[in-house]
Amino acid sequence: MTNRKIVYKPIAPEVVELAQQHGNQREAVLEILTELDQRGHLNPETITDTARALGIPANHAYGVATFYSMLSLQPRRDVIRVCDGPACWLKRASETREAIEKAAGDGWAVERTSCLGLCDRAPAMLVNNEQAGPIPPEKAGEVCHGWRGVPTDYSTLRKGEVRVMLAKVGKIDPDSIESALEHGVYDGLKSAIQKKPEEVIAEVEASGLQGRGGAGFPVGRKWKFVAQAARMPKYIICNADESEPLIFKDRVLIDTNPHQLLEGMAIGGYACGANEAYIYIRGEYVAQAQRLERAIKQAEGKGWLGDNIQGSGFSFHIHVHRGAGAYICGEETALIESLEGKRGEPRTRPPYPPSYGYQGYPSAVNNVESFSAVPHILKNGAEWWKALSTYPTPGTKLYMLLGHVENPGLFEAPFGLTLRQVIDEFGGGMLEGSTFKFALTGGAAGTIVGPDLLDVPLDYASGPQKGIGLGAGAFLVCDQSVSAVAFQRELLHFFAAESCGKCTPCRVGTWRAFEILSRMAENKGQKGDVDELKALSENMLLASFCGLGQSVPTPMNSAMSNFAREFEQAEN
């Protein structure tokens, strides 16, 4: 036998350059692949080169490249992604997509995409990385000539609002730290660093602040777990993935007052004993990621982030990490996997992130709204926060209202609102000619409820106890024109498209349920379809690996229970 020496081709110069920009860290594989994709250069050869540059197996890099929906191994430079989430579906997004396909030239690739976090701009789309909407079908042709629709203005206070996190909307220039400082941003951090870390945690615990991502886990308790963990280093992680249909509040908070978020994270770092932090932001939020990066540089320049903050001896560095399209990365362990440069698949729990998080170290993971509430508590005190509401759940919450109402959008108010109050008092009532039929409450994984639950006060416990969930605080209101079966089909399309595929119950169950519901919505149902949907729901609930598969049964079961006759009629 003759010994043959393997000769490797040189790594492509652009890959070498990108790897060097990221310190040749293997965790940067997703960001490098995203940049290559945006240049139209993502292919098996550049994926292999990326792996070589970072010192990781080629199959690892290929697995990452094929996991995230915004990446493609097919050459394309200009892409229009049209959302087909439930809010956009109600606004005739399919017709918009057809119109875009006719109007776009050969240089454009037109694709469907899951929810873009632009539900208040439905029907929405991404034109390359530019957010656009609302784009009705008759305006589709103008998109190819630079028109992007008109963003919603949230500077006007609605009657009944109690604003804390939204209090400075329209008053602060979000791209100016001088403006933020003039309006008292970083006063909460100033107060925090004058206390002991354990006193900061005690204040947050006393406020009763619950996580605003939907589960409602007490923020102070989570921080205490991280602070008490013996292992170092520790990390603060902000979940800004916000990929669930109906949810867009975190995007608005970043767009209107980014320093509020950074301040809350810094307070968390001081309390937990962490000096490094990451904001994991969904890949579709390019403009928001850029805004955060500017704000971080400004805060470092003024001594509110970075080394030795305001001479306190406390150092805190925040990094922005962009995803690339994966709903599952909203689940905290999948987010951490992605942050570490892997496929965004969930971990087995326990252990939980407060003891074993980023790189195996204690990590506090909270979302944008949770961190944004913290500075106000440190500045004004726990008793002030509790006094904002007469309801047992303290403080204020951001609510999102969409669908067939006169005044959709975003507002801030205490807990304990009923769905009827949300629609009538904050949403201006139903559209003319519309009668309330049902609402999806909480988010895509929420409950589908009819008129009999309009007067239930909403908090984090209302879902399990009373059958109507608050979740992240979102409501999609549908009138008599919407089929509950067809609506459920759209939800299952989302879940099927976004399943990470790690476990069989979710990977197979969501697609099978979608197939059945598609037939039923087209009046091609078969006897036994409802029973099979119920069996699929039970299997996903009991056997799915993570919260995505386990939560799919919530809207399925509530729809089949509250609109049983409609499903039975579609079966025959």
Side-chain angles (χ1 to χ4, degrees):
M1 295 178 62
T2 57
N3 292 326
R4 299 180 62 185
K5 185 177 180 180
I6 299 175
V7 179
Y8 291 103
K9 291 173 58 178
I11 299 174
E14 66 173 336
V15 175
V16 173
E17 181 184 353
L18 285 170
Q20 290 175 345
Q21 289 175 6
H22 291 279
N24 295 313
Q25 296 179 334
R26 60 185 301 161
E27 293 85 357
V29 58
L30 177 57
E31 292 169 298
I32 294 171
L33 294 174
T34 298
E35 180 64 29
L36 290 168
D37 179 73
Q38 292 174 351
R39 296 179 185 183
H41 296 170
L42 186 61
N43 54 52
E45 186 172 338
T46 54
I47 292 171
T48 302
D49 280 353
T50 300
R52 291 170 60 196
L54 299 179
I56 61 177
N59 68 317
H60 178 111
Y62 189 83
V64 172
T66 54
F67 182 82
Y68 297 90
S69 65
M70 295 183 72
L71 302 183
S72 174
L73 273 62
Q74 301 300 318
R76 77 233 203 297
R77 293 187 71 91
D78 293 311
V79 186
I80 299 176
R81 296 178 174 91
V82 183
C83 178
D84 64 6
C88 289
W89 174 72
L90 277 186
K91 295 287 188 177
R92 301 156 55 206
S94 60
E95 295 178 35
T96 292
R97 181 180 169 186
E98 290 175 4
I100 287 283
E101 289 172 339
K102 292 178 182 177
D106 293 336
W108 290 96
V110 181
E111 302 175 354
R112 59 78 46 195
T113 187
S114 296
C115 185
L116 294 171
L118 300 171
C119 304
D120 56 338
R121 299 182 65 178
M125 63 185 66
L126 278 186
V127 185
N128 288 327
N129 288 324
E130 291 185 77
Q131 296 163 348
I135 310 292
E138 55 272 18
K139 290 277 192 178
E142 298 182 32
V143 171
C144 301
H145 297 94
W147 189 69
R148 299 292 179 260
V150 181
T152 309
D153 180 7
Y154 291 112
S155 59
T156 302
L157 193 73
R158 298 183 189 218
K159 183 180 179 181
E161 273 198 84
V162 178
R163 287 194 168 186
V164 176
M165 291 165 280
L166 295 179
K168 304 302 181 181
V169 174
K171 300 175 182 177
I172 285 180
D173 177 353
D175 293 317
S176 168
I177 191 171
E178 287 80 10
S179 176
L181 292 171
E182 287 173 5
H183 286 87
V185 181
Y186 292 108
D187 284 355
L189 177 56
K190 184 186 299 183
S191 174
I193 58 180
Q194 292 172 358
K195 303 176 186 289
K196 295 178 180 178
E198 58 267 27
E199 293 175 335
V200 174
I201 291 178
E203 193 75 28
V204 175
E205 273 199 299
S207 74
L209 176 65
Q210 294 176 271
R212 297 304 199 246
F217 191 85
V219 173
R221 189 186 306 173
K222 181 181 289 187
W223 288 8
K224 181 180 285 187
F225 291 154
V226 176
Q228 292 175 345
R231 299 170 65 239
M232 294 292 287
K234 300 173 183 179
Y235 294 96
I236 297 295
I237 299 175
C238 175
N239 184 346
D241 190 65
E242 194 169 56
S243 298
E244 184 163 357
L246 282 60
I247 316 297
F248 56 91
K249 58 185 175 62
D250 291 349
R251 188 199 85 231
V252 175
L253 287 171
I254 292 169
D255 266 338
T256 56
N257 193 353
H259 287 282
Q260 177 179 239
L261 167 61
L262 303 181
E263 181 184 12
M265 293 178 67
I267 293 169
Y270 178 74
C272 295
N275 301 113
E276 296 285 334
Y278 292 89
I279 300 174
Y280 186 101
I281 190 165
R282 62 181 303 183
E284 295 88 347
Y285 282 1
V286 171
Q288 288 72 32
Q290 293 171 341
R291 175 158 279 155
L292 285 168
E293 288 165 346
R294 286 193 297 271
I296 289 169
K297 288 182 179 179
Q298 291 174 357
E300 290 173 342
K302 293 289 187 180
W304 290 106
L305 288 178
D307 294 327
N308 191 24
I309 293 174
Q310 300 299 313
S312 66
F314 168 58
S315 299
F316 194 67
H317 300 269
I318 299 179
H319 315 278
V320 177
H321 186 99
R322 306 184 193 190
Y327 166 64
I328 188 62
C329 289
E331 194 276 337
E332 61 181 6
T333 64
L335 181 155
I336 292 171
E337 288 285 292
S338 183
L339 193 61
E340 293 178 352
K342 306 170 188 174
R343 291 164 65 92
E345 296 177 337
R347 296 175 176 176
T348 301
R349 297 189 301 175
Y352 294 92
S355 60
Y356 189 93
Y358 179 62
Q359 304 292 6
Y361 291 100
S363 305
V365 185
N366 291 109
N367 76 346
V368 173
E369 186 183 353
S370 302
F371 280 121
S372 295
V374 167
H376 305 283
I377 294 170
L378 266 296
K379 180 179 179 179
N380 300 295
E383 294 305 315
W384 165 85
W385 177 255
K386 290 191 286 188
L388 292 171
S389 173
T390 58
Y391 194 74
T393 305
T396 60
K397 174 82 187 75
L398 269 61
Y399 298 89
M400 294 141 286
L401 178 60
L402 303 161
H404 297 135
V405 295
E406 288 286 353
N407 190 16
L410 180 79
F411 63 93
E412 185 175 0
F415 289 82
L417 298 177
T418 66
L419 181 55
R420 190 185 302 277
Q421 285 178 294
V422 170
I423 294 171
D424 292 343
E425 296 178 18
F426 292 93
M430 299 293 293
L431 287 172
E432 185 177 352
S434 288
T435 301
F436 176 82
K437 181 179 180 181
F438 65 85
L440 173 61
T441 70
T447 49
I448 295 178
V449 301
D452 55 325
L453 293 176
L454 279 168
D455 297 307
V456 177
L458 293 165
D459 57 29
Y460 291 120
S462 60
Q465 294 178 358
K466 301 171 184 175
I468 176 170
L470 174 64
F475 307 91
L476 180 57
V477 177
C478 298
D479 68 12
Q480 70 281 359
S481 68
V482 184
S483 160
V485 177
F487 186 81
Q488 188 64 29
R489 173 197 63 198
E490 297 303 310
L491 285 182
L492 263 295
H493 184 211
F494 168 80
F495 286 120
E498 291 300 318
S499 173
C500 77
K502 182 169 184 173
C503 70
T504 302
C506 178
R507 182 181 68 250
V508 177
T510 51
W511 278 112
R512 179 56 184 159
F514 172 65
E515 291 169 358
I516 295 170
L517 288 160
S518 295
R519 283 195 288 98
M520 294 174 72
E522 296 170 2
N523 297 315
K524 298 177 182 177
Q526 301 171 4
K527 190 170 181 60
D529 278 348
V530 173
D531 287 340
E532 185 173 355
L533 287 172
K534 290 178 179 178
L536 287 166
S537 174
E538 183 177 6
N539 287 331
M540 282 188 280
L541 178 63
L542 295 175
S544 291
F545 185 82
C546 81
L548 190 153
Q550 294 167 10
S551 62
V552 175
T554 301
M556 285 181 64
N557 291 341
S558 58
M560 289 188 289
S561 174
N562 294 325
F563 297 91
R565 185 173 180 181
E566 193 168 332
F567 277 84
E568 290 167 3
Q569 289 173 342
E571 190 178 36
N572 300 310

